Amino acid sequence: MKPSIREPQLDLMPEEVDFPDEDIRTQVWGILTTLYPHNRAGERRHESRYPFPYLVHLTPVGEDGLTPCGETLVVVGKHLSERGLGFYHPQPLPYRRMIASLEAGNGQWIGFLIDLSWCRFTRKGWYESGGRFLQSVLSPIKPSA
């Protein structure tokens, strides 16, 4: 005897549900289809990207490629993958290699040497950039107590 899958018998929806009017639905779907188009032709990425809407600390590195130098700045994460990071920032970045510090919980920080390989100006006056992780390094951000 095969097990059968049954539909739930409870009706959890209230009797009167206010659905948005058609104009609101049209406007919302206009935004969603712009942000998430169905046709992703030309997608070059082979690894999964995950939304990462968290603050990221970027610290420039010296000529040796590992020693922190210069002032750390804070950017807003966009996507995170096993190979890299995308983020938003308000001003152009004059550095190619930086240490990206991501908070790992319990006040601990994880550092990655990142090679910033692309940047584009958005219509709202912000920049969107990203790059590949080259190696795991010590984060210059001090753990919080």
Side-chain angles (χ1 to χ4, degrees):
M1 178 182 218
K2 293 182 181 178
S4 63
I5 298 175
R6 301 180 74 185
E7 293 293 320
Q9 299 298 313
L10 296 173
D11 182 11
L12 299 177
M13 294 293 290
E15 291 295 320
E16 294 181 25
V17 177
D18 289 331
F19 290 103
D21 68 25
E22 195 59 33
D23 184 49
I24 294 173
R25 291 184 72 209
T26 301
Q27 297 296 327
V28 169
W29 277 107
I31 293 169
L32 291 175
T33 55
T34 300
L35 294 174
Y36 305 104
H38 290 298
N39 183 3
R40 294 264 176 160
E43 180 65 53
R44 299 173 295 152
R45 294 172 187 92
H46 299 288
E47 69 276 348
S48 297
R49 292 179 301 155
Y50 301 93
F52 194 75
Y54 303 99
L55 298 179
V56 176
H57 294 235
L58 293 178
T59 307
V61 294
E63 290 189 25
D64 66 357
L66 292 174
T67 306
C69 72
E71 192 171 325
T72 297
L73 55 118
V74 179
V75 299
V76 180
K78 179 182 179 186
H79 289 115
L80 177 67
S81 75
E82 291 179 355
R83 294 186 180 188
L85 174 72
F87 55 90
Y88 298 106
H89 50 101
Q91 299 173 355
L93 299 175
Y95 306 101
R96 174 76 188 242
R97 292 202 172 165
M98 302 182 87
I99 296 174
S101 298
L102 287 64
E103 190 169 12
N106 298 329
Q108 300 299 313
W109 292 86
I110 297 176
F112 300 98
L113 181 63
I114 188 170
D115 180 50
L116 301 177
S117 56
W118 61 273
C119 178
R120 67 177 73 105
F121 184 71
T122 69
R123 288 182 278 179
K124 302 296 180 188
W126 281 69
Y127 294 84
E128 182 180 351
S129 292
R132 296 191 125 195
F133 295 140
L134 300 175
Q135 68 185 73
S136 181
V137 297
L138 289 175
S139 170
I141 307 300
K142 304 292 182 214
S144 58

